[in-house]
Amino acid sequence: QNEFKFVQSFSAEHKLRSFDFLSNGVVLATTRNTLERWTVSPTAEEAASRHSTIQALGHRQPIKSVCQSHDDLQLATLSEDVVLVWRLQTASLTSTLSTAVDGQCVRFLQGDKHLVIGTKSGTLDIYSLSTASL
């Protein structure tokens, strides 16, 4: 028996680089450095709908990874040398972490006070959000 059941599909405006699930949908990072926030119903009765789009995010390089915090309040976006942390409700920038590494993926650690960045060289770097340091 399959563990996954197809519910529905939808298309973003541009090609995708990364995505993360939200409590009521999904956030997509596209090749045009935009974030699209979609509301997705767990049943096929309601079609997925684009909730909002954020453009001109402040990344000079393409977004490689996106991750929502465990408390559903923050969103981290990663490009090669910077991580930006956003407040989800207002789409406002709350923190900027400059990194000297080629980051590949980002995740909030439990408690949402630290971020872990997976690097191209294979290391995991842990950053404190309160001090914006390694």
Side-chain angles (χ1 to χ4, degrees):
Q1 181 154 335
N2 292 334
E3 292 184 31
F4 297 102
K5 178 183 171 190
F6 175 80
V7 177
Q8 61 182 296
S9 64
F10 57 94
S11 297
E13 233 178 273
H14 305 287
K15 291 180 182 179
L16 299 182
R17 285 200 174 270
S18 181
F19 69 92
D20 195 21
F21 291 104
L22 306 174
S23 56
N24 64 342
V26 65
V27 63
L28 311 173
T30 73
T31 56
R32 300 280 178 123
N33 276 4
T34 60
L35 291 177
E36 294 183 13
R37 190 170 163 200
W38 287 75
T39 301
V40 180
S41 172
T43 67
E45 297 169 4
E46 296 178 40
S49 61
R50 185 180 300 121
H51 183 272
S52 60
T53 300
I54 304 170
Q55 297 180 356
L57 293 176
H59 285 283
R60 290 186 285 274
Q61 303 290 331
I63 296 171
K64 292 184 174 183
S65 183
V66 60
C67 178
Q68 179 191 10
S69 63
H70 296 94
D71 62 9
D72 298 341
L73 298 177
Q74 300 176 92
L75 187 76
T77 56
L78 167 80
S79 64
E80 283 188 21
D81 59 353
V82 70
V83 176
L84 302 179
V85 181
W86 307 85
R87 181 154 309 281
L88 260 176
Q89 298 300 331
T90 61
S92 59
L93 184 64
T94 61
S95 188
T96 301
L97 303 171
S98 295
T99 65
V101 297
D102 188 5
Q104 300 295 303
C105 55
V106 64
R107 288 289 175 252
F108 280 93
L109 294 179
Q110 197 65 34
D112 300 325
K113 295 181 181 184
H114 296 86
L115 287 172
V116 62
I117 298 172
T119 69
K120 193 171 188 173
S121 64
T123 63
L124 295 175
D125 294 343
I126 298 174
Y127 287 82
S128 167
L129 288 175
S130 61
T131 61
S133 64
L134 186 64

